Amino acid sequence: MSTGPGAASVPAPDGHDDPTTPDAPRKSSMFSSLKVRNYRLFFTGQVVSNIGTWMQRIAQDWLVLSLTGSSAAVGITTALQFLPMLLFGLYGGVLVDRLRKRPTLLVTQSSMAVTSLFLAVLTLTGHVQVWHVYVAAFAMGLATVVDNPARQSFVSELVGRDQLQNAVSLNSANFQSARLVGPAVAGLMITGVGTGWAFLANGLSFVAPLSCLLLMRARDLHVVARAPRGKGQLREGLHYVAGRPELIWTIVLVGFIGTFGFNFPVFLSAFADDVFHAGAGAYSLFNTLMAVGSLAGALLAARRGTARLRVLIAAALAFGALEMVAATAPELWLFALLMVPIGVFSMTVNVTANTSIQMSTDPAMRGRVMALYMMVFLGGSPVGAPIVGWVTDAYGARAGFAAGGAVAATAALVIGLVLARVGNLRLSVGWHRGHPQVRFVPRERREELAPAA
């Protein structure tokens, strides 16, 4: 297990996990990292860009569905967007550890802007075909290979270790806040003027993060020493993760959830179109309500101040169970309402896993570890999205959604038991201050907790 920074997130007991005392999570101001000027600039630029990103996601999914009438085609688009991460994600992490983060982000953000504008021109001129969308999705994915680990690693340079948990949580809240606006605006644009304008808006939105990156003060960054060019760095990163159970099993869990449980473009578009026959408006509504829950989950994580693996396991179980419940919802309004708690627990999984991994990783290895995390989390879509799309087309949207939830819940249960065994823990059921309490405790405390003869 890691003895470097963040070792407290290892699934072994520490002072805060003492079963004989109540939890004492470290509380912090919900917006404390915004006091840092560079992070405030980064946050502001991402607000604008994220709104455009969500507009493009909705428009892209709906354009493909309109051109083909196939949920499998939507799945293929999603797969192509994340395929580069699966193929090249680890090499992207090696590059990120070698390069300066801010210039790298200027290049990747610019390339994504060009891709969006290219798709906008094709759509607005009436020449767009489904293969054009496939190419644009793949090109966006190529940029993401470097952009994702660079952005994840850059956060620690903006705020330092003390504010990392809060900054990661606020990044997620930022993304989910944009999710409240982006799908709603995209729905209006699609029904009013067409999908091409949503692509154009996303392309132009990249002006904001590019400007904010240029305005940052280099002297205020917590710069981490870059890894020198050398052989075996990719293998070194894999060995580093393999030797730390708190990293490898967290990555395995988010891999299962990302591959089978997070295929919302396939699930929600199918429910809107095939189950409830309600069109783009309902699809936008589902995404907006899920964003409400996700925003709440991110803000709660920002206030929580700690990233515990038991929270991750519990949230993953709840997420999978809620997906299975939503799959059986008989009415549109009930299905829509269930998007809120699904959003809460999906974001709790996302933020807790991300923060736990970053704080358990030595800074010199962070690019490679985060690249592996993002490769597994996002790169699983090329495998899962076509499978989920096929199941949805063949057996219906309800079967596809339920299957995704079942995989997520099963993975959480199994990996929770594995982490408990690795940490030499056992399940304890009892009462605390008049309330039932179920938690894991060290096995060596069995005799201490037993009543005296």
Side-chain angles (χ1 to χ4, degrees):
M1 293 184 182
S2 175
T3 56
S9 63
V10 176
D14 58 32
H16 294 300
D17 288 323
D18 189 337
T20 64
T21 60
D23 288 339
R26 190 170 60 255
K27 298 289 185 182
S28 63
S29 170
M30 188 175 289
F31 304 103
S32 58
S33 55
L34 288 176
K35 296 175 183 177
V36 180
R37 179 183 182 274
N38 281 346
Y39 179 74
R40 194 162 58 245
L41 283 168
F42 179 81
F43 186 90
T44 302
Q46 291 300 307
V47 167
V48 179
S49 182
N50 285 336
I51 291 173
T53 297
W54 276 110
M55 291 173 65
Q56 170 139 339
R57 284 190 178 190
I58 301 299
Q60 177 180 279
D61 297 338
W62 202 257
L63 176 61
V64 171
L65 196 63
S66 300
L67 291 172
T68 66
S70 169
S71 294
V74 177
I76 290 171
T77 307
T78 303
L80 287 171
Q81 188 156 339
F82 297 117
L83 181 61
M85 182 65 73
L86 181 63
L87 297 177
F88 312 117
L90 291 176
Y91 296 99
V94 172
L95 283 175
V96 167
D97 279 338
R98 293 176 180 173
L99 300 173
R100 289 186 299 160
K101 307 302 185 294
R102 186 163 60 144
T104 301
L105 288 171
L106 287 169
V107 173
T108 58
Q109 296 277 298
S110 297
S111 64
M112 288 191 282
V114 170
T115 302
S116 297
L117 293 173
F118 171 75
L119 190 57
V121 170
L122 287 174
T123 308
L124 290 171
T125 58
H127 293 95
V128 71
Q129 299 179 36
V130 69
W131 71 268
H132 293 141
V133 185
Y134 289 165
V135 171
F138 188 78
M140 194 73 77
L142 284 174
T144 302
V145 166
V146 176
D147 185 78
N148 257 332
R151 276 191 297 109
Q152 300 287 340
S153 302
F154 191 48
V155 172
S156 65
E157 295 192 8
L158 291 171
V159 300
R161 177 175 170 77
D162 290 345
Q163 295 287 350
L164 182 58
Q165 160 87 9
N166 184 263
V168 169
S169 301
L170 288 183
N171 281 352
S172 299
N174 184 327
F175 191 64
Q176 299 308 322
S177 298
R179 191 176 180 181
L180 292 171
V181 179
V185 176
L188 292 174
M189 280 192 170
I190 291 170
T191 57
V193 294
T195 55
W197 293 99
F199 299 138
L200 179 62
N202 182 48
L204 296 176
S205 74
F206 283 98
V207 172
L210 291 170
S211 300
C212 289
L213 284 168
L214 292 171
L215 289 170
M216 289 179 183
R217 295 174 182 162
R219 65 179 181 272
D220 293 340
L221 294 174
H222 301 258
V223 178
V224 175
R226 286 177 283 160
R229 182 183 296 272
K231 294 182 178 180
Q233 290 179 322
L234 178 57
R235 184 169 59 252
E236 180 187 7
L238 293 174
H239 286 167
Y240 180 87
V241 172
R244 289 161 174 79
E246 75 278 13
L247 296 180
I248 188 64
W249 287 111
T250 298
I251 290 173
V252 169
L253 175 59
V254 298
F256 275 106
I257 294 176
T259 300
F260 298 102
F262 274 22
N263 282 291
F264 296 118
V266 177
F267 297 140
L268 301 188
S269 62
F271 267 86
D273 195 45
D274 300 331
V275 177
F276 298 119
H277 309 289
Y283 182 44
S284 177
L285 174 65
F286 296 156
N287 278 279
T288 300
L289 289 174
M290 185 175 290
V292 171
S294 298
L295 176 60
L299 291 176
L300 288 171
R303 185 169 178 77
R304 191 178 301 124
T306 56
R308 297 186 177 184
L309 291 181
R310 67 184 183 209
V311 173
L312 173 63
I313 297 300
L317 274 170
F319 169 77
L322 283 167
E323 282 200 337
M324 290 187 282
V325 171
T328 66
E331 302 291 340
L332 185 150
W333 67 267
L334 180 57
F335 181 85
L337 286 178
L338 285 168
M339 293 301 102
V340 176
I342 286 176
V344 170
F345 288 109
S346 68
M347 187 49 53
T348 302
V349 170
N350 193 337
V351 172
T352 306
N354 187 312
T355 309
S356 175
I357 286 175
Q358 288 210 51
M359 296 188 73
S360 299
T361 303
D362 294 329
M365 301 293 296
R366 192 167 285 147
R368 278 163 282 183
V369 174
M370 291 309 298
L372 177 61
Y373 168 75
M374 299 306 297
M375 184 192 77
V376 173
F377 186 42
L378 300 179
S381 291
V383 177
I387 294 174
V388 168
W390 175 79
V391 171
T392 299
D393 280 343
Y395 300 101
R398 296 187 185 279
F401 206 19
V407 171
T410 302
L413 180 61
V414 172
I415 291 172
L417 293 173
V418 169
L419 286 172
R421 185 175 182 84
V422 168
N424 196 31
L425 306 176
R426 66 177 181 84
L427 189 65
S428 172
V429 181
W431 289 82
H432 179 72
R433 294 183 179 178
H435 299 287
Q437 186 178 66
V438 179
R439 63 190 308 174
F440 287 102
V441 299
R443 290 182 182 276
E444 57 267 27
R445 294 195 178 186
R446 183 188 303 269
E447 294 181 2
E448 296 176 17
L449 296 177

